[in-house]
């Protein structure tokens, strides 16, 4: 059995993953950066994310579904994903990247949204499709957050 397909998904949800809530938190001018590790762990294991749209290509061959060239948008992020899913044992290997803006609230900024930094978080997921182990890489984002100016209310 083999097949090649293209797909388009609109207004779908991802459970146990809340990237938009994380982006919203870190874009708050009073965000406590010391909470980031905990907030990131929560974002990859709890909550809900709405996919506004997702499109890509699927290839099924020998019981493996490969998804490549897939792109998506959520409320605050845009990104891409590639994965392989074994339809016989439901094992998954997935790699994704979420890109978004981080507001710069420094005193040099003329307006709150005047200066923004683009950043990203990479997330890999492996194991059972029903409860994959998610491993985030926030190296790029951490560099920006380490420089973020904290504004006291």
């Amino acid at each position: 059995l083999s097949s090649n397909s293209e797909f388009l998904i609109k207004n779908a949800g991802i459970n146990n993953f809340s990237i938009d809530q994380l982006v919203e938190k870190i874009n708050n001018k009073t965000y406590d950066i010391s909470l980031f590790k905990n907030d990131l762990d929560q974002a990859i294991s709890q909550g809900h994310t709405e996919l506004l749209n997702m499109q890509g290509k699927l290839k099924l061959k020998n019981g493996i579904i490969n998804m490549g060239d897939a792109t998506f948008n959520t409320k605050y992020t845009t990104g891409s994903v590639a994965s392989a899913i074994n339809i016989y044992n439901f094992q998954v290997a997935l790699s994704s990247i979420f890109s978004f803006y981080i507001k710069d609230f420094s005193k040099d900024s003329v307006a709150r949204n005047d200066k923004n930094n683009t950043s990203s978080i990479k997330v890999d997921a492996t194991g059972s499709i029903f409860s994959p182990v998610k491993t985030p890489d926030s190296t790029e984002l951490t560099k920006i957050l380490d420089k973020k100016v904290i504004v006291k209310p």
Side-chain angles (χ1 to χ4, degrees), residues 4 16 20 22 26 28 30-31 33 40 54 60 64 72 74 79-80 88 90 98 101 105 112 119 125 133-135 142:
N4 290 318
N16 301 318
D20 287 330
L22 178 66
I26 62 180
N28 184 312
T30 60
Y31 180 67
I33 297 166
L40 178 60
M54 182 175 182
L60 171 63
I64 307 292
F72 58 85
T74 70
S80 62
Y88 298 116
F90 300 105
F98 297 82
Y101 289 103
F105 294 109
R112 281 185 19 170
S119 190
V133 175
K134 300 172 201 160
T135 308
T142 303

Side-chain angles (χ1 to χ4, degrees), residues 46-62:
Q46 299 175 13
H48 183 81
T49 294
E50 285 292 322
L51 284 176
L52 302 177
N53 62 61
M54 182 175 182
Q55 59 188 20
K57 297 178 182 179
L58 296 174
K59 182 183 277 189
L60 171 63
K61 187 172 182 179
N62 299 326

Side-chain angles (χ1 to χ4, degrees), residues 4-74:
N4 290 318
S5 302
E6 293 183 10
F7 68 91
L8 173 64
I9 299 169
K10 292 199 176 273
N11 303 319
I14 303 171
N15 289 322
N16 301 318
F17 190 76
S18 54
I19 189 70
D20 287 330
Q21 288 174 330
L22 178 66
V23 172
E24 212 168 66
K25 278 184 181 181
I26 62 180
N27 273 307
N28 184 312
K29 67 180 175 181
T30 60
Y31 180 67
D32 183 348
I33 297 166
S34 69
L35 300 175
F36 177 70
K37 170 103 173 76
N38 185 58
D39 289 341
L40 178 60
D41 289 344
Q42 285 184 355
I44 66 167
S45 63
Q46 299 175 13
H48 183 81
T49 294
E50 285 292 322
L51 284 176
L52 302 177
N53 62 61
M54 182 175 182
Q55 59 188 20
K57 297 178 182 179
L58 296 174
K59 182 183 277 189
L60 171 63
K61 187 172 182 179
N62 299 326
I64 307 292
I65 300 172
N66 285 297
M67 178 174 54
D69 299 325
T71 58
F72 58 85
N73 293 81
T74 70

